[in-house]
Amino acid sequence: MIKSFIENGRLAALFIALLIVAGFGALSSLPRTEDPEITNRFATVITTYPGASSERVEALVTDVIENQLRRMEELKLLQSTSRSGVSVIQIELKDSITQTEMVWSRARDLLNDSRALLPNNVHEPRLDDQIGYASTVILGVNWQGKTQERIDIINRYAKELQNRIRLIDGTDFVTLYGAPEEEIQVTLHSNKLAKLRLTPAIVARQLNHADSKISAGKVNNLSFRALIEVNGEFDSLERISSIPIKATQNHQITRLRDIATIKRQPKTPIASKAIVNGKQGVMIAIRMLDSARVDLWQSEVEKDVKQFQQLVPANIKVNWLFEQKSYTSTRLGELLINLLQGFIIILTVLMLTLGLRNALIVALSLPLTALFTLTCMKFVGLPIHQMSVTGLVVALGIMVDNAIVIVDAIGQRRAEGQSKLDAVSNTLKHLWLPLAGSTITTILAFTPIVLMPGASGEFVGGIAISVIFALIGSYLISHTLIAGLAGRFSACNHSNHAWFHNGAQFPQLTRRFQQFLNASLKKPLLTTLSIGLLPLLGFIAASQLTEQFFPSSDRDMFQIEAYLPTQSSIQNSAQLTEKLNSYLTDKNGVTQVNWVVGGNVPSFYYNLTQRQTGAENYAQAMVKTQNYTVANQLIPELQNELDALFPKAQILVRKLEQGPPFHAPVEFRVFGNNLDTLNQIGDQVRQRLSQSQFVTHTRTTLSSGTPKVSIDVNEEASSALGLSLSEIAQQMQMATTGVIGGTLLEQTESLPIRLRIDDIYHSDVQRLSEVNLITPLGQFLPLAAIATTQMQVSRSAIPRRDGKRVNTVEAYIIADVLPAKVLQEVQQDIMAIDLPMGYSIEVGGESAKRNAAVGKLMSSVALVLTLLFTVLVLSFNSFRLTAIILISALQSAGLGLLAVYCFNYPFGFTVIIGLLGLMGLAINAAIVIIAELETEPMARAGESKTIVSLVNSCTRHISSTTVTTIGGFLPLILAGGGFWPPFAVAIAGGTLLTTLISLIWVPSAYFMIMRNKTSSAVIEST
């Protein structure tokens, strides 16, 4: 086959054409996104219990549902918040779960099972398994013009647009935010009820019985079958208003319209409110399927939105709030530029070291290997995103290593006078096993990243997969096509010493190197120990590095969170939001601000979580600026200004973070049973955190008390009047929030029918005692006649973690200050707090996520090391040589840490990944050196002159691969940002320093081992 590649140019051309067609075919069809797909292992269960306090919600709803959900073996974590009237439970699955559809189906079955265990007036639990996904596009529909805003009309057009986008091929799901819940409100007139001796309970019962949305059976005989249905279901306001409520002896019928006002309107108070460009509107969050290309899919969305805008009235406007296409194009474009820059740098280096002809042959392996990698990505379904493309950038300097070694070796044999076929055959026979070993060991170095479970592994795994495919492609292409081309075109005459012919020659540098290596071999023990001090210095320096899990994002966007006192209503939160929005829109550099009040905005970044469902005292904004630099400048500036302008609210201006989600950069979780004790301990933790100069805000998840109106009824008096406590509670509910008395079916939409008595009490606490109760005899009775009311304090929210009550203290810090620095400052003081029996404190936040991710990464290292050890032992049939290679890899990690320290980067997850890759490269270089030394018996006998000569023959391709590796990573370093430079510096800087290990330490250690081995053999022979 090699002979065919050498002699048959058509075969080589066809092989190249095949790679080009396959690679570009994959490039055109692979999905494209900005970030990798991360399996959604999160879901939220929302259960409403109208009128119940947080304590009742915890005991009667949250605890019951949690006990059911714990039957799921896939469950990793349950977190819950019990608020007044609502239970919110967050489910997190184990990292090993990658197919979640069946798991969520099982969870819904368990929720159905729990329905019978819940109180009667608890609404059905609703599981939302789409909260863990970032939106691909976010639209906003709002009102234009000076006429009065009609949120109900806006909502109907938003739903119509939602239905249109759902039909676009490639759309996953479409969700509305801030959409008003429309309902049919039936306001009963209490005076008319009293005259007819009707109670609200009777009216509600009549309303429920009049709705015929139930089966009436079916007829089934030998000739046909038919369903039986009683007409009269609620399908219009006219049908509801005509319901007979009471008939007199004179056959006079009192219908619902005679005693009530019936109208269709948005539910009040609203559950959440969306502010789109300063006006109330509805947000539409759209998620694309992971198998689609974002550029093509979004073009279809843009086309559909444009058509829709032309069809709607002029006062309805569709606004583009966020779209991922531009970010994806920018990100991938920057990485492709880095790839091209790296290619140019590598080509230049190759021309200087190998000469023009050999450089072009080696450089050909780069695009061909990249096309091979794209083909493999298509085969395994790995999309094109920033991680997979970065893998190509990472592999850029690595995938020419095999080609450099083979082309250089063939050139040397051709210079010795060997024929084309002999030069290629002898080179491959000599190098296939060492290069296979070095390729496999480098692959194994990246394997822990691929095997890493969970979100972190899915996020960065694309880098390792791309590198592995590139290494495989590099080996195969180098041993076939490149070897054939080198045999056919490489120069056999080395008498021409021009640099463009055979590469630049540095005779003086070569002589100095030989002298230094020769001196090192005379004192090998001193040499190995002296050089070993440098990696040791790197490990010592690593202890001084500040730890950082993942760096911040370089988006031109950031988020703002606003917390008001827990007793604040959503109207109060909306008023604050209007003031904040007005201030932000006037801020120089801000281009767009959009809010959701009473909940979270749609996720516009892959790791934003939805954890404030139903929080009326909360608002969140997504803020877009002119560019990333402006965003970084505005974040600390706005934090200081908003703190001064709005002292009654806690406002957090937060960067977008990379990596798996965490709620706050610094967290301490306090566990215990008594809520008051948890609150006291939480206050102590907050007090210690606030002493840090880097902490801007602290808050606790165990909210302070909220007002509750307590009604003490004289049961003897109420019983004498025929009123039970439940009837009084129902009438009070109807006078305030109202009760649901059925549903109206309108096409595919089901609208609840809410009964309420004279809508005058639901917003005035002072007038609650004036509520007129209606007795069974039709008498009016003010509540004050049989009951007293008083204001009390109840818990606003009760958080739990895995079934245990918890008070999480969250600390938010100054922008650009690393969480590890703050944690190191306060942790000892906080852990010294004297805790009662049964209470404990644990660290959460960024630190806990970092430790968990590193633990997952290291979980497969033992297996990989075993495989690595096995490959090396089988390659060289020597434990001693294997030890040299592994020790050189360990030393390279120390040198990589030293490079990170010198460039003043923090120690984070990306640095760990870079060190794994660096160790693979160090093993690769050590294998090449030792394989060359093993070819000569005199070297094996410990003859220093032969060792110097053999190592010197390797210096050209070792130096070439070192410089090309550094050149491949140089664009990532120069590009700036916080994510890639630490990673690139760890590999590139470590590779440069590791040259000392490869060319000096490895030969010295080899000489020392072989000399001792020879001495032992001589002693045994005598």
Side-chain angles (χ1 to χ4, degrees), residues 73-316:
E73 62 181 13
E74 302 88 352
L75 185 66
K76 176 183 178 181
L77 178 65
L78 272 182
Q79 297 184 92
S80 64
T81 303
S82 301
R83 295 191 179 96
S84 176
V86 62
S87 165
V88 180
I89 300 175
Q90 294 176 321
I91 306 172
E92 182 178 352
L93 303 181
K94 293 177 180 177
D95 293 329
S96 57
I97 305 300
T98 56
Q99 301 296 325
T100 59
E101 291 80 5
M102 294 300 295
V103 181
W104 299 137
S105 177
R106 164 71 171 155
R108 289 185 173 92
D109 291 340
L110 292 173
L111 291 176
N112 290 333
D113 294 342
S114 68
R115 190 70 185 87
L117 305 175
L118 300 174
N120 291 332
N121 53 341
V122 172
H123 295 174
E124 184 175 354
R126 178 173 58 87
L127 185 142
D128 183 358
D129 61 345
Q130 298 177 347
I131 62 167
Y133 292 107
S135 304
T136 312
V137 167
I138 302 176
L139 303 174
V141 182
N142 65 356
W143 193 271
Q144 298 295 306
K146 298 181 180 180
T147 56
Q148 183 179 1
E149 295 181 0
R150 291 286 305 275
I151 188 63
D152 54 338
I153 296 178
I154 293 173
N155 185 38
R156 289 168 198 169
Y157 281 114
K159 287 182 177 179
E160 183 180 343
L161 181 57
Q162 177 188 32
N163 294 331
R164 290 174 64 106
I165 295 175
R166 277 177 176 156
L167 300 177
I168 296 176
D169 187 33
T171 301
D172 190 358
F173 59 82
V174 188
T175 307
L176 300 184
Y177 285 75
E181 300 176 34
E182 290 190 276
E183 63 181 13
I184 308 301
Q185 183 166 303
V186 179
T187 305
L188 301 173
H189 305 307
S190 53
N191 57 342
K192 294 182 179 179
L193 292 179
K195 289 180 182 179
L196 295 171
R197 294 192 175 185
L198 290 171
T199 64
I202 293 174
V203 177
R205 188 164 55 248
Q206 287 291 96
L207 197 62
N208 271 314
H209 290 168
D211 193 0
S212 63
K213 294 191 195 75
I214 58 174
S215 173
K218 62 181 178 180
V219 175
N220 199 335
N221 55 37
L222 295 176
S223 58
F224 75 99
R225 58 188 177 87
L227 294 175
I228 304 174
E229 187 177 88
V230 177
N231 293 328
E233 71 275 6
F234 296 157
D235 56 4
S236 66
L237 292 180
E238 178 60 30
R239 166 71 184 107
I240 296 172
S241 63
S242 63
I243 294 172
I245 300 298
K246 185 175 182 180
T248 65
Q249 294 180 350
N250 299 330
H251 302 290
Q252 291 182 341
I253 303 297
T254 300
R255 301 186 183 276
L256 184 60
R257 59 173 170 259
D258 299 326
I259 58 172
T261 302
I262 306 165
K263 59 182 178 180
R264 175 176 176 163
Q265 66 177 37
K267 177 185 175 182
T268 54
I270 57 176
S272 64
K273 181 178 181 180
I275 307 297
V276 178
N277 291 335
K279 297 182 178 181
Q280 184 177 3
V282 176
M283 292 184 184
I284 307 173
I286 312 161
R287 167 76 180 181
M288 178 192 74
L289 287 171
D290 294 308
S291 58
R293 279 182 53 171
V294 66
D295 51 344
L296 301 180
W297 174 83
Q298 188 171 314
S299 298
E300 292 298 315
V301 175
E302 292 170 354
K303 179 180 176 182
D304 202 65
V305 170
K306 185 176 181 180
Q307 293 175 352
F308 179 80
Q309 185 69 78
Q310 294 173 349
L311 297 175
V312 299
N315 52 6
I316 299 294

Side-chain angles (χ1 to χ4, degrees), residues 296-581:
L296 301 180
W297 174 83
Q298 188 171 314
S299 298
E300 292 298 315
V301 175
E302 292 170 354
K303 179 180 176 182
D304 202 65
V305 170
K306 185 176 181 180
Q307 293 175 352
F308 179 80
Q309 185 69 78
Q310 294 173 349
L311 297 175
V312 299
N315 52 6
I316 299 294
K317 180 172 176 57
V318 181
N319 306 270
W320 284 81
L321 310 184
F322 169 80
E323 48 84 22
Q324 197 184 90
K325 175 183 173 182
S326 61
Y327 292 103
T328 303
S329 301
T330 301
R331 180 81 64 190
L332 296 183
E334 290 172 349
L335 289 172
L336 288 175
I337 291 173
N338 291 339
L339 196 63
L340 182 60
Q341 290 172 339
F343 177 78
I344 294 172
I345 293 172
I346 290 172
L347 180 59
T348 304
V349 171
L350 291 174
M351 289 173 61
L352 290 173
T353 56
L354 300 179
L356 181 58
R357 187 180 298 183
N358 286 348
L360 292 175
I361 295 173
V362 172
L364 180 63
S365 67
L366 287 175
L368 295 181
T369 304
L371 293 171
F372 175 89
T373 304
L374 289 170
T375 304
C376 293
M377 288 169 57
K378 174 66 177 177
F379 182 75
V380 300
L382 178 65
I384 296 175
H385 46 64
Q386 65 163 324
M387 292 299 163
S388 58
V389 176
T390 302
L392 287 174
V393 178
V394 170
L396 195 61
I398 303 173
M399 56 188 170
V400 294
D401 290 1
N402 288 329
I404 289 173
V405 173
I406 286 178
V407 171
D408 191 40
I410 291 173
Q412 290 179 10
R413 283 174 169 79
R414 290 285 287 140
E416 294 170 0
Q418 295 185 18
S419 67
K420 295 180 180 180
L421 183 58
D422 289 341
V424 174
S425 299
N426 292 334
T427 297
L428 296 182
K429 187 183 297 184
H430 170 60
L431 290 176
W432 79 268
L433 183 58
L435 291 181
S438 65
T439 300
I440 292 172
T441 52
T442 308
I443 288 173
L444 289 174
F446 284 93
T447 302
I449 306 172
V450 180
L451 298 179
M452 182 181 177
S456 298
E458 292 171 344
F459 184 67
V460 299
I463 298 177
I465 295 173
S466 296
V467 171
I468 289 172
F469 286 152
L471 289 169
I472 294 172
S474 171
Y475 183 83
L476 295 177
I477 292 171
S478 298
H479 283 70
T480 53
L481 179 64
I482 298 301
L485 293 176
R488 183 171 186 174
F489 295 108
S490 63
C492 60
N493 182 14
H494 279 215
S495 59
N496 189 343
H497 296 292
W499 70 268
F500 55 84
H501 188 77
N502 293 318
Q505 304 293 326
F506 304 97
Q508 188 174 0
L509 183 62
T510 301
R511 187 167 54 255
R512 292 283 180 87
F513 168 73
Q514 291 174 347
Q515 292 172 355
F516 183 74
L517 179 56
N518 195 45
S520 300
L521 294 178
K522 291 179 180 179
K523 296 182 179 180
L525 181 60
L526 179 62
T527 299
T528 53
L529 292 177
S530 301
I531 294 176
L533 290 176
L534 201 57
L536 182 61
L537 186 63
F539 286 116
I540 295 173
S543 63
Q544 306 302 316
L545 293 174
T546 306
E547 295 181 359
Q548 182 184 36
F549 182 30
F550 274 104
S552 300
S553 171
D554 55 358
R555 276 281 180 91
D556 59 353
M557 301 181 71
F558 58 89
Q559 59 168 323
I560 295 179
E561 296 181 286
Y563 295 86
L564 275 77
T566 52
Q567 70 270 18
S568 300
S569 65
I570 195 167
Q571 290 88 346
N572 192 11
S573 301
Q575 291 174 2
L576 171 69
T577 301
E578 290 176 6
K579 296 176 182 177
L580 284 169
N581 188 77

Side-chain angles (χ1 to χ4, degrees), residues 76 456 547 549 660-662 664-669 801 819 823 842-856:
K76 176 183 178 181
S456 298
E547 295 181 359
F549 182 30
F662 52 83
V666 179
E667 287 182 0
F668 289 91
R669 305 186 190 113
R801 184 180 176 89
L823 184 63
E842 72 176 26
V843 178
E846 193 249 22
S847 174
K849 290 289 185 180
R850 181 186 65 243
N851 294 339
V854 173
K856 295 170 192 172

Side-chain angles (χ1 to χ4, degrees), residues 1-22:
M1 182 177 179
I2 293 300
K3 183 179 179 181
S4 300
F5 276 113
I6 297 172
E7 299 177 351
N8 191 343
R10 289 182 293 275
L11 177 62
L14 289 173
F15 188 80
I16 294 173
L18 176 63
L19 287 174
I20 291 174
V21 171

Side-chain angles (χ1 to χ4, degrees), residues 716-733:
E716 295 179 356
S718 64
S719 297
L721 294 169
L723 289 172
S724 66
L725 294 181
S726 61
E727 288 172 331
I728 293 173
Q730 186 181 41
Q731 291 198 40
M732 291 300 298
Q733 186 177 7

